[in-house]
Amino acid sequence: MRTYIARRLGFVLFSLIGLSILVFYLARVIPGDPVLMMVDPRTSPAIIEELRHKLGLDKPLYMQYWFWLQDVFRGDLGFSVYTKRSVTSDVLEYLPISLELVILAALMEIAGSFILGVLAGSHAYKWPDNLVRILSYIGISIPSFVWAIIFQLIFAWQLSLFPTSGLLSSNVLKPPRVTGFTSLDSLIAGRFDAFADVIWHATLPALALCIGGMTQDARIIRSGMVENKDKEYIAMATSQGLPKRLVMFKYLLKPSIIPAVTVMGMDIASMLGNAFLVETVFLWPGFSRHAIKAMYRSDLNTIIATVLVIGLIFAIVNIITDIIVAYLDPRIRLMERGE
């Protein structure tokens, strides 16, 4: 397992370096002068050239990348034209708020896909199975931002069961910042009212973010259970008089969820990138919504940081997914060792 993890980490490091080169190059060749965006239109050309020299933008592209990469390893992602402060400070402020939404959406997707998948797989070709398959077609075909609008119109505006936007209600004080995760900071401060309010605000956007992946994963789990239930080892376990529940959850479900775990990991890893429009619909003050505002203003450093952060999270989630799949299926570890 250690060799397997080491190889995955090496691949991730190589991928992130390649991604950084690509994104840095694209950010430098797109139209627009970042120096002109940072200064007043009446600024003299001499001051503009001095600032360009100070930022290293007058040097060859490969030298600019090398200096930028050194700054990144020191934790310096550059200066934001949009917020007029360090991009690193913006990431530390906004990213935890988006991760709260993604984590809640991931928990919903995992729980919902297992419940729906097992329900459909254990009642194959009956009405629960047909219902889950219909839900999966609807869930996959409608984009996340459309679900966000639908949920907002029905559950927020019409039924008034959930708030329409924001992170906290106006009458709830924000807890002192410790971790940046408002829900966790609320628990640390003993503010259970603020914790419940954050979850209440996050429920609809998290559900909109995960419903497509949830229904897709449920179909995969269902297909795996239907395919594996006729295998010989299931027939043998059943013939030995083992309880039906034990056969299903220990012998049938474990191999059936391996393809779903892989797809689920990809879905969860891409949630931060898919949250742009969902956060905009619900005015969720997270990193994805902040990145859109920065992109409107051609804030190159923020654009580069956004892509790198999403790529890093994608890589981390995929490593975790690979480890889980290798644990569920020992044959993968043996293949890595050449056995």
Side-chain angles (χ1 to χ4, degrees):
M1 181 63 82
R2 286 195 298 268
T3 303
Y4 180 78
I5 296 174
R7 289 183 179 179
R8 288 294 179 270
L9 289 174
F11 177 75
V12 165
L13 180 61
F14 179 77
S15 300
L16 288 177
I17 292 175
L19 177 64
S20 68
I21 294 174
L22 177 62
V23 173
F24 184 86
Y25 176 75
L26 292 177
R28 287 296 185 268
V29 299
I30 62 176
D33 190 338
V35 177
L36 296 180
M37 299 176 188
M38 297 171 62
V39 299
D40 188 270
R42 295 168 293 181
T43 304
S44 66
I47 296 178
I48 292 176
E49 289 303 319
E50 181 182 352
L51 181 58
R52 181 175 283 108
H53 176 73
K54 183 179 179 181
L55 295 175
L57 297 178
D58 58 341
K59 294 180 172 58
L61 198 59
Y62 70 91
M63 292 185 64
Q64 293 184 38
Y65 173 77
W66 175 245
F67 293 141
W68 172 82
L69 190 62
Q70 289 178 321
D71 291 337
V72 168
F73 279 111
R74 289 194 294 264
D76 182 8
L77 295 173
F79 180 80
S80 171
V81 177
Y82 169 48
T83 61
K84 307 299 181 185
R85 62 177 185 174
S86 168
V87 174
T88 305
S89 300
D90 292 335
V91 172
L92 293 176
E93 178 178 347
Y94 293 107
L95 182 59
I97 299 176
S98 281
L99 289 181
E100 284 183 293
L101 189 62
V102 169
I103 291 172
L104 180 59
L107 293 176
M108 287 182 173
E109 178 170 339
I110 294 170
S113 60
F114 273 89
I115 293 173
L116 293 176
V118 172
L119 177 66
S122 57
H123 298 84
Y125 308 109
K126 298 179 182 178
W127 73 264
D129 180 26
N130 295 330
L131 178 61
V132 171
R133 283 195 284 180
I134 292 173
L135 291 176
S136 68
Y137 289 132
I138 298 174
I140 295 171
S141 61
I142 300 179
S144 296
F145 73 93
V146 177
W147 280 117
I149 296 172
I150 293 172
F151 290 157
Q152 191 178 65
L153 290 174
I154 296 175
F155 297 106
W157 288 104
Q158 295 294 328
L159 301 179
S160 300
L161 296 176
F162 293 91
T164 57
S165 61
L167 177 65
L168 285 169
S169 300
S170 57
N171 60 342
V172 177
L173 295 177
K174 192 173 184 179
R177 181 183 175 89
V178 179
T179 64
F181 293 84
T182 309
S183 56
L184 184 57
D185 291 344
S186 300
L187 294 177
I188 293 174
R191 293 282 311 284
F192 298 104
D193 60 325
F195 173 79
D197 197 63
V198 171
I199 300 301
W200 186 42
H201 279 74
T203 299
L204 288 185
L207 184 59
L209 196 58
C210 76
I211 191 167
M214 179 197 302
T215 53
Q216 176 181 240
D217 299 336
R219 281 195 65 189
I220 297 174
I221 293 174
R222 177 261 178 200
S223 298
M225 292 182 65
V226 171
E227 180 181 350
N228 291 323
K229 71 177 183 178
D230 294 328
K231 297 289 180 68
E232 292 181 358
Y233 68 91
I234 298 296
M236 184 183 69
T238 304
S239 65
Q240 290 179 345
L242 295 178
K244 184 178 180 181
R245 185 179 298 272
L246 177 63
V247 173
M248 175 178 293
F249 288 100
K250 184 175 182 180
Y251 298 106
L252 177 59
L253 187 59
K254 185 176 179 180
S256 300
I257 65 174
I258 292 176
V261 169
T262 303
V263 176
M264 196 179 298
M266 298 288 288
D267 290 337
I268 294 173
S270 62
M271 277 184 183
L272 186 62
N274 295 336
F276 289 97
L277 295 177
V278 173
E279 287 191 0
T280 301
V281 171
F282 285 96
L283 300 181
W284 187 262
F287 182 68
S288 298
R289 181 165 171 250
H290 167 74
I292 282 189
K293 293 180 179 179
M295 290 176 186
Y296 285 154
R297 292 162 176 81
S298 300
D299 190 345
L300 298 184
N301 286 331
T302 301
I303 294 172
I304 296 174
T306 300
V307 177
L308 288 180
V309 167
I310 293 176
L312 179 61
I313 292 175
F314 200 95
I316 292 173
V317 174
N318 271 280
I319 289 177
I320 296 173
T321 303
D322 288 341
I323 294 173
I324 294 174
V325 171
Y327 172 77
L328 292 173
D329 191 352
R331 293 174 298 178
I332 296 176
R333 301 198 300 271
L334 296 176
M335 289 173 61
E336 287 287 327
R337 291 162 51 186
E339 299 181 10

